[in-house]
Amino acid sequence: MRRLSGTACRGLQELRGPLLVIEGVSGIAYGEMVQVRDTHGELRYGRVLEVRPEAAVIEVFEGTAGLGLEDTTVQFLGTTFELGVSSDMVGRVFDGLGRPNDGLPAPPAVAWRDINGRAINPLARDYPREFIQTGISAIDGMNSLIRGQKLPIFSAAGLPHNELAAQLIRFAKLPGEPQRFAIVFGAMGIKHDEAELFRETFAISGLQKVVMFLNLADEPSIARIITPRVAMTAAEYLAFDLGMHVLVVLTDFTAYGEAVREIATGKGEIPSRKGYPGYLYSDLASIYERAGRIEGLPGSITLVPILTMPNDDITHPIPDLTGYITEGQIVLDRNLFRKGIRPPVNVLPSLSRLMKDGIGAESTRSDHAHLANQLYAAYARAGQVERLAAIVGEEELSAVDKRYLAFGERFEREFVAQGVNEDRSITETLDLGWRMLTELPKEELTRVTEEEIKEHLP
Amino acid sequence: MATQKDPLGTVIWVNGPVVRADTTQQAHMMEMVFVGKERLIGEVIRLRGAEAVIQVYEDTTGLKAGMPVFGTGAPLSVELGPGLVSTIYDGLQRPLARFIERSGPWIDRGGHFPALDRTRRWRFSPTAPVATMVKGGTILGTVQETLLITHRIMVPPRLEGRLSWLAPEGEYTVDEPIARLHTRSGEITVTMSSRWPVRMARPVRRRLRPSRPLLTGQRIIDALFPLAKGGTAMIPGGFGTGKTVMQHQLAKWSDADLIVYIGCGERGNEMTNVLREFPHLEDPKSGHPLMERTILVANTSNMPVAAREASIYTGLTLAEYYRDMGLDVAVMADSTSRWAEALREIAGRLEEMPAEEGFPAYLGTRLAEFYERAGLVQTLSGEQGSLSIIGAVSPPGGDLSEPVTQQTRRFVRCFWALDRELASARHFPAIQPVDSYSEYAQDLITWWIDQEPDWARFREQVVDLLRRDRRLQQLVKLVGEEALPDEQKLALHGARLWREAFLQQSAFEAVDRYTTTRKQLAMMRVLHHWYHQASELIKRHIPFYRLAELPVNERIMRMKLIPNEEVDTILQLIPTITAEMDALARSMQV
Ligand SMILES: Nc1ncnc2c1ncn2[C@@H]1O[C@H](COP(=O)(O)OP(=O)(O)OP(=O)(O)O)[C@@H](O)[C@H]1O
Ligand SMILES: [Mg+2]
């Protein structure tokens, strides 16, 4: 954070939740940064949320605990929240507000960037088309990840989303020179051991270009609204100034959303669903939409946000709004997890919207799209049959339905499930998919062409 | 746009996109204003005493109390004239290309750019006779705006007088005079450009009852839930169920003359996709690039919220302008929910009393005003023009009982409900075939029967089978399909055939993405024939499983992959069906 001075003011009128109201001030700018000094001289940071006549409402990122109305001073810094960026950020660990957290001094800034970023002009975007092989069949075969995509993992408490993300980071093969890859990792309210898992993953996979921003579970929750923004600011610098291909992993957006809700409640705003403010959609979009590619610039930002669905409920506002903004989602499923399927990816509610333009003869294989469609249709039917079998009993199923049942079973055990160290090439994944289809009568395979059947069906 | 030199007042309060100003001069409701040093664009939305409440269409970060607010004396308007088509604008009609020239790939606030190119010369061909009386809507001449759009230069609405001078054939900029009118209030010069306030519907002579279909090439729509030219439709559906793909399909393939595509609070990449794809896709009618008949209005989810609210009206006004030329215009708005949420956000910051789920009580009124701007009309110049509106709705949690879906339903006549389960099974378009409806189906029946006398019978069969299928599925859930009598098994099979061979249509396969009316009718005839013949056989106690094994079935499943030009190949399936079924019947009698 840039060190700036402004005059210190007193005159606190109110402290409520993470908010502070100060009176007798003028010339305050909306969105301006402030420094709050408590009675012991300790500094906290905040931001102007509302400008009123001769007054301002401020959100304090570290919370207001311990502040008093009389002994607190507020200094207006005359600038928005900015992050000092440089290539020296690489390899460093920062706290959730972008301050060094690894005992080393702050890297000298080459430029200062407003952490809120600016909207990419849709006319300047380059449409993402490059397939990234993750080595995971459920993703590569059915929901391919594309460079520049925003593809979240929807998980739930106790499901192995971190393992999946770690596997993805380890095996993701991006076309291009390795020295141009970087990872930006942002943690919002996750536990120490989770952060540790990621740190180890980065070390094991020999990834050197990693920047970490950590706001852990025991740290101030309001700071979480800043963490993804500083992470995206760093990523933008690496991608669009330095030309790197950046993979950004941000976790856990549920904790982020709760911090947003806390501020909204503090302000006494009218909530929309489950107490979350009506602008949560726009708020999330202002982070997610920073991913992508820009025409004429060499770098890219691929974003994998992770969130945990409260109560396994995909209609909860956080996953729901996320799904409305991102370009698909990878959904983990408790039933599959109980069946012992790892990773427990349920491909039916999962989706990659950019897949269709990134796969095919030039990048993966010409049968990819049809095969994926066929597997989807068949697996969906298998699910219906399974539910039916639970009621009428397996014996009552028609001959065709029985084969669907067998297909579904095998698809989960052999195609979706795979070892954490198993790195499957796209050809292996597709061939495996065709092998699954041998469970079904040929007449049922109407989503693939006759030529494809001749060429690929074992 | 004239800005007053002296400020209207000063900023006293800033809360996101809502700003209050203390005014020293009179402001007007809905007046467009410029706020602060950077002259951010805003609109006056409430006046009380000296206080004006302004909704600002750009990011207000950095705005301070005490900064000036300037009035313009005019409401928020768009500029109309040649040069609109093929352009991509933001929600305030600023060309996005100009932002790139100014600030590179990222959008900076405070940009003030004219909507139309001031220097470009357009070839104007005069058509109106001089010295006659002309009035609002009279066509003065034409400009070939793109390969596909012949732009008619009209007398702006509300003007009336004697045409005293009309420019000769030649090249003119949008600012040069092309006509002079002798009116009661004096001599008025007309140029090829004019302005119109976005929140006000442009006048028409008469509204007509929609009677022609907007052909979309999407089988489930054209055959089951047709939209009329001048009609309204909504596409509600949870995330990832296919709203945007459907909107893109309609923008690409429907037989409108002009498309206005409004990306309201949605993804940047989706607009990029349109921009990259449309110049390379051909309009099926003319073979020219689709971009030549498309206007894009983009206010993506990361662009300022309040401008989302304006973008809908900006797009509509552009559409009305082309409708007034006698064109069939279709507006796609993706997503109207984001627009409603923008209303909610502004209302919340004004501390207005919320109605349902925080939405303001006037949500219904606003939606009604929006959809009411659609219609088949007789224009001021006496021609027929139409404006169709197709709005995507994004219900939270996919729950169709939420306010925006429910309120919208009151004002639209086509309801294309997308179903999560169909989407998960990759059955696209995921339009739920039983709950969806079109109130235009009846109005359009005569048109269809003119094309195909048997149309009503085909349609009846599929509608009936889908209904029966839904009822029978309940039974299947209890006893399994095997336990049903053959007649019911056939009904289930028939429904499946219609669904998979006809209703399901891929947006991404070149042969399948667009189906001509002729091919649709041929496919319907084949399916109708199959089911009709099969029912006869079942009546004669031929076991169902033998029918299900006929080789022709698989060919029917794949008939959608036969190109539009080869309709005869599809129709040849009919004698094949008859032959195979006859053979089956004979073999069973032996
Ligand atoms: N007609 C279709 N043919 C093939 N695939 C389709 C079709 N419609 C939708 N899809 C698939 O479904 C995905 C999601 O569709 P789309 O982006 O239109 O959803 P949406 O309803 O607009 O979602 P959101 O509300 O999040 O914007 C597409 O990326 C595509 O893979
Ligand atoms: Mg969409």
Side-chain angles (χ1 to χ4, degrees):
Chain A
M1 224 164 293
R2 220 195 293 222
R3 301 275 155 215
L4 291 163
S5 55
T7 37
C9 317
R10 287 178 188 274
L12 263 61
Q13 201 55 39
E14 191 180 343
L15 286 161
R16 170 163 37 109
L19 303 182
L20 173 167
V21 182
I22 182 165
E23 289 197 340
V25 290
S26 60
I28 307 302
Y30 179 72
E32 180 175 2
M33 277 292 289
V34 297
Q35 233 171 38
V36 179
R37 190 183 297 267
D38 70 11
T39 187
H40 311 293
E42 295 277 339
L43 290 183
R44 305 180 194 202
Y45 287 88
R47 181 167 63 175
V48 174
L49 271 192
E50 192 176 319
V51 174
R52 297 178 177 169
E54 309 284 296
V57 181
I58 292 159
E59 60 184 340
V60 184
F61 302 134
E62 290 92 340
T64 52
L67 296 183
L69 291 177
E70 267 131 61
D71 56 8
T72 303
T73 59
V74 174
Q75 204 171 352
F76 291 88
L77 301 180
T79 163
T80 54
F81 200 133
E82 291 179 333
L83 180 75
V85 290
S86 74
S87 56
D88 296 335
M89 288 184 302
V90 171
R92 300 290 307 273
V93 182
F94 301 89
D95 73 1
L97 295 178
R99 297 173 294 206
N101 185 353
D102 48 9
L104 300 172
V110 173
W112 290 90
R113 296 280 158 84
D114 184 332
I115 61 154
N116 294 307
R118 291 175 296 167
I120 303 178
N121 189 326
L123 190 55
R125 279 185 191 265
D126 208 356
Y127 196 69
R129 298 181 174 276
E130 281 169 21
F131 172 77
I132 298 178
Q133 181 180 308
T134 67
I136 302 163
S137 294
I139 296 179
D140 293 351
M142 310 289 285
N143 301 288
S144 315
L145 177 64
I146 306 297
R147 181 180 270 170
Q149 184 172 17
K150 35 191 185 292
L151 187 66
I153 298 175
F154 285 13
S155 186
L159 297 184
H161 45 272
N162 291 333
E163 287 73 7
L164 179 64
Q167 191 168 354
L168 190 148
I169 290 166
R170 274 196 295 145
F171 295 132
K173 286 188 192 49
L174 308 111
E177 323 95 80
Q179 65 274 22
R180 281 181 52 211
F181 305 145
I183 293 204
V184 172
F185 178 78
M188 293 96 78
I190 65 169
K191 296 191 286 281
H192 282 269
D193 52 344
E194 292 179 277
E196 213 37 57
L197 172 86
F198 281 101
R199 214 194 292 251
E200 272 167 30
T201 306
F202 301 142
I204 296 171
S205 27
L207 287 164
Q208 268 128 42
K209 302 219 160 86
V210 180
V211 191
M212 299 180 86
F213 295 92
L214 304 178
N215 167 285
L216 300 180
D218 53 0
E219 291 175 279
S221 65
I222 301 306
R224 275 166 215 165
I225 64 169
I226 297 299
T227 312
R229 294 187 163 83
V230 291
M232 291 311 287
T233 305
E236 279 172 354
Y237 178 75
L238 297 178
F240 302 128
D241 284 61
L242 302 185
M244 297 173 120
H245 291 296
V246 187
L247 175 65
V248 182
V249 177
L250 296 174
T251 178
D252 170 345
F253 262 95
T254 307
Y256 170 82
E258 281 160 2
V260 174
R261 177 168 65 180
E262 198 175 328
I263 294 164
T265 317
K267 275 186 81 186
E269 286 171 345
I270 302 158
S272 61
R273 284 173 71 222
K274 296 213 154 99
Y276 290 91
Y279 51 78
L280 185 58
Y281 173 85
S282 307
D283 184 279
L284 288 170
S286 73
I287 300 168
Y288 297 148
E289 276 286 317
R290 291 169 79 171
R293 307 207 61 164
I294 291 176
E295 203 170 39
L297 296 184
S300 66
I301 299 180
T302 307
L303 173 60
V304 178
I306 300 173
L307 57 87
T308 47
M309 300 180 280
N311 246 331
D312 293 13
D313 177 10
I314 197 167
T315 70
H316 180 279
I318 306 279
D320 190 51
L321 295 175
T322 297
Y324 271 122
I325 303 163
T326 52
E327 285 140 351
Q329 63 278 339
I330 303 296
V331 183
L332 302 191
D333 183 293
R334 196 169 302 278
N335 282 329
L336 288 176
F337 183 69
R338 287 204 189 109
K339 281 191 195 169
I341 308 295
R342 305 282 184 284
V345 176
N346 185 351
V347 297
L348 293 182
S350 300
L351 169 71
S352 164
R353 296 167 197 254
L354 301 185
M355 174 172 177
K356 60 177 193 299
D357 298 301
I359 62 168
E362 289 105 69
S363 48
T364 59
R365 218 166 69 184
S366 60
D367 58 314
H368 191 164
H370 288 169
L371 172 64
N373 255 330
Q374 182 65 68
L375 291 170
Y376 267 116
Y379 185 58
R381 174 96 183 263
Q384 285 165 2
V385 174
E386 196 184 328
R387 285 193 290 274
L388 180 63
I391 302 167
V392 299
E394 233 173 273
E395 320 74 61
E396 294 301 312
L397 295 178
S398 68
V400 176
D401 280 354
K402 281 183 190 142
R403 298 189 61 175
Y404 270 102
L405 202 59
F407 163 83
E409 203 51 19
R410 185 154 176 217
F411 179 77
E412 288 171 2
R413 302 238 165 254
E414 294 181 31
F415 187 89
V416 176
Q418 74 185 78
V420 283
N421 291 316
E422 195 184 345
D423 179 12
R424 293 183 190 153
S425 75
I426 183 63
T427 316
E428 285 171 323
T429 290
L430 297 177
D431 290 345
L432 183 60
W434 280 101
R435 240 176 293 143
M436 303 296 105
L437 291 179
T438 56
E439 291 294 328
L440 297 173
K442 210 208 91 204
E443 309 80 71
E444 292 290 309
L445 308 182
T446 56
R447 303 284 183 109
V448 285
T449 65
E450 275 152 358
E451 295 75 50
E452 286 163 345
I453 292 180
K454 267 193 217 103
E455 194 177 338
H456 299 290
L457 192 68
Chain B
M1 236 167 310
T3 326
Q4 281 140 18
K5 284 199 195 61
D6 297 327
L8 193 72
T10 52
V11 172
I12 52 171
W13 193 85
V14 189
N15 182 357
V18 176
V19 167
R20 292 177 199 236
D22 192 15
T23 58
T24 47
Q25 290 181 32
Q26 184 178 236
H28 294 90
M29 278 301 272
M30 306 333 262
E31 178 176 348
M32 181 162 142
V33 294
F34 297 128
V35 181
K37 276 200 307 237
E38 289 174 285
R39 302 192 157 227
L40 308 179
I41 302 174
E43 195 179 7
V44 176
I45 54 174
R46 190 191 281 178
L47 289 168
R48 191 174 52 203
E51 187 185 281
V53 180
I54 298 161
Q55 82 174 342
V56 179
Y57 292 123
E58 300 184 82
D59 179 19
T60 53
T61 302
L63 207 60
K64 296 179 182 180
M67 283 184 170
V69 175
F70 297 91
T72 63
L76 186 68
S77 328
V78 289
E79 187 173 36
L80 304 167
L84 295 167
V85 181
S86 318
T87 309
I88 176 164
Y89 290 109
D90 79 349
L92 302 173
Q93 210 203 6
R94 295 178 293 188
L96 284 180
R98 303 299 295 275
F99 281 99
I100 296 188
E101 292 161 19
R102 178 175 179 254
S103 56
W106 285 274
I107 295 181
D108 256 345
R109 60 196 175 155
H112 293 267
F113 314 112
L116 300 177
D117 189 335
R118 300 340 283 182
T119 55
R120 175 153 180 192
R121 299 188 157 270
W122 298 94
R123 179 149 208 97
F124 172 74
S125 313
T127 54
V130 184
T132 53
M133 290 300 289
V134 294
K135 57 183 195 325
T138 307
I139 292 159
L140 296 172
T142 59
V143 164
Q144 197 63 42
E145 185 175 0
T146 67
L147 287 172
L148 284 169
I149 299 292
T150 308
H151 192 115
R152 306 197 174 162
I153 306 297
M154 299 168 287
V155 176
R158 295 173 188 154
L159 274 187
E160 190 169 354
R162 197 171 55 84
L163 183 62
S164 54
W165 173 79
L166 187 61
E169 167 109 25
E171 309 228 319
Y172 303 92
T173 68
V174 293
D175 292 322
E176 283 169 335
I178 51 108
R180 266 192 291 277
L181 260 56
H182 196 79
T183 71
R184 242 180 278 164
S185 41
E187 192 84 348
I188 287 184
T189 303
V190 174
T191 64
M192 290 196 281
S193 64
S194 58
R195 301 192 68 83
W196 190 264
V198 295
R199 295 185 193 278
M200 191 187 288
R202 283 173 65 90
V204 296
R205 191 179 290 174
R206 214 152 58 84
R207 295 176 70 95
L208 309 167
R209 190 182 165 88
S211 57
R212 286 173 297 138
L214 182 79
L215 295 174
T216 66
Q218 309 305 301
R219 297 185 291 263
I220 186 165
I221 292 182
D222 290 348
L224 285 187
F225 311 115
L227 176 59
K229 289 206 168 83
T232 50
M234 70 188 283
I235 315 178
F239 62 79
T241 51
K243 299 180 292 297
T244 303
V245 172
M246 178 58 76
Q247 297 268 34
H248 284 192
Q249 285 296 91
L250 298 179
K252 286 173 188 167
W253 312 120
S254 61
D255 69 339
D257 299 313
L258 183 95
I259 302 291
V260 178
Y261 193 98
I262 310 169
C264 174
E266 294 289 308
R267 301 171 185 84
N269 273 333
E270 292 173 347
M271 299 312 290
T272 313
N273 190 216
V274 174
L275 282 165
R276 300 277 177 272
E277 219 184 354
F278 278 35
H280 306 291
L281 288 174
E282 285 174 6
D283 167 31
K285 270 195 301 188
S286 64
H288 293 310
L290 284 174
M291 207 58 205
E292 308 269 311
R293 61 156 208 192
T294 309
I295 303 176
L296 296 172
V297 178
N299 207 87
T300 55
S301 58
N302 54 346
M303 284 157 80
V305 172
R308 252 179 237 171
E309 202 263 331
S311 68
I312 291 274
Y313 297 102
T314 297
L316 266 182
T317 311
L318 300 179
E320 285 177 341
Y321 174 63
Y322 283 91
R323 173 208 61 194
D324 292 346
M325 298 178 200
L327 299 182
D328 291 317
V329 185
V331 172
M332 280 98 215
D334 185 13
S335 156
T336 59
S337 294
R338 307 300 165 219
W339 166 75
E341 285 163 12
L343 279 186
R344 173 170 70 186
E345 180 167 349
I346 304 291
R349 298 207 193 236
L350 289 173
E351 289 167 6
E352 282 174 2
M353 224 8 207
E356 271 173 295
E357 302 204 8
F359 286 103
Y362 47 80
L363 173 68
T365 325
R366 293 287 173 88
L367 281 166
E369 283 166 5
F370 170 66
Y371 284 104
E372 274 301 300
R373 286 173 79 166
L376 178 70
V377 304
Q378 190 175 47
T379 64
L380 293 181
S381 65
E383 287 180 80
Q384 264 198 22
S386 70
L387 198 173
S388 315
I389 301 182
I390 301 121
V393 180
S394 317
D399 170 12
L400 300 190
S401 67
E402 60 92 36
V404 182
T405 312
Q406 285 307 319
Q407 294 283 2
T408 306
R409 230 176 142 154
R410 295 167 54 203
F411 311 114
V412 301
R413 296 185 61 201
C414 277
F415 183 75
W416 300 329
L418 301 185
D419 183 87
R420 156 101 29 226
E421 204 163 322
L422 289 175
S424 294
R426 274 36 177 191
H427 178 107
F428 290 114
I431 296 180
Q432 213 296 333
V434 181
D435 296 334
S436 301
Y437 58 79
S438 162
E439 292 175 10
Y440 299 108
Q442 278 310 314
D443 302 344
L444 299 174
I445 227 158
T446 18
W447 188 92
W448 277 101
I449 287 179
D450 280 348
Q451 317 296 312
E452 164 62 70
D454 287 332
W455 192 73
R457 285 202 295 138
F458 298 165
R459 191 165 183 275
E460 234 163 70
Q461 184 186 83
V462 47
V463 170
D464 179 59
L465 275 176
L466 291 169
R467 289 224 181 92
R468 281 191 70 193
D469 177 70
R470 172 186 272 198
R471 262 182 281 124
L472 289 173
Q473 291 296 348
Q474 302 298 327
L475 208 57
V476 169
K477 278 193 191 128
L478 294 176
V479 298
E481 199 170 321
E482 283 303 284
L484 299 183
D486 271 7
E487 196 273 329
Q488 294 184 342
K489 276 189 198 147
L490 176 69
L492 286 173
H493 192 82
R496 192 172 301 147
L497 215 52
W498 271 103
R499 269 201 311 266
E500 291 181 16
F502 185 77
L503 300 182
Q504 185 194 322
Q505 183 173 7
S506 168
F508 307 126
E509 300 272 348
V511 245
D512 200 27
R513 63 193 181 190
Y514 164 74
T515 309
T516 57
T517 305
R518 274 192 68 219
K519 179 174 162 186
Q520 289 189 30
L521 291 170
M523 292 172 82
M524 291 176 92
R525 182 171 284 286
V526 168
L527 286 163
H528 182 267
H529 183 70
W530 185 93
Y531 186 73
H532 184 76
Q533 295 288 101
S535 309
E536 292 299 315
L537 293 201
I538 294 288
K539 274 186 210 141
R540 288 158 60 188
H541 305 291
I542 311 273
F544 168 74
Y545 77 94
R546 296 296 306 271
L547 269 168
E549 286 168 0
L550 292 179
V552 75
N553 298 354
E554 203 181 328
R555 290 177 60 195
I556 295 177
M557 275 297 185
R558 294 184 192 277
M559 70 181 164
K560 60 174 93 154
L561 297 179
I562 298 170
N564 284 322
E565 298 75 35
E566 295 167 31
V567 166
D568 290 341
T569 317
I570 295 177
L571 290 173
Q572 274 156 24
L573 287 169
I574 292 176
T576 314
I577 292 169
T578 313
E580 286 189 15
M581 292 205 182
D582 284 353
L584 175 63
R586 277 197 303 276
S587 73
M588 300 298 293
Q589 273 155 10
V590 176

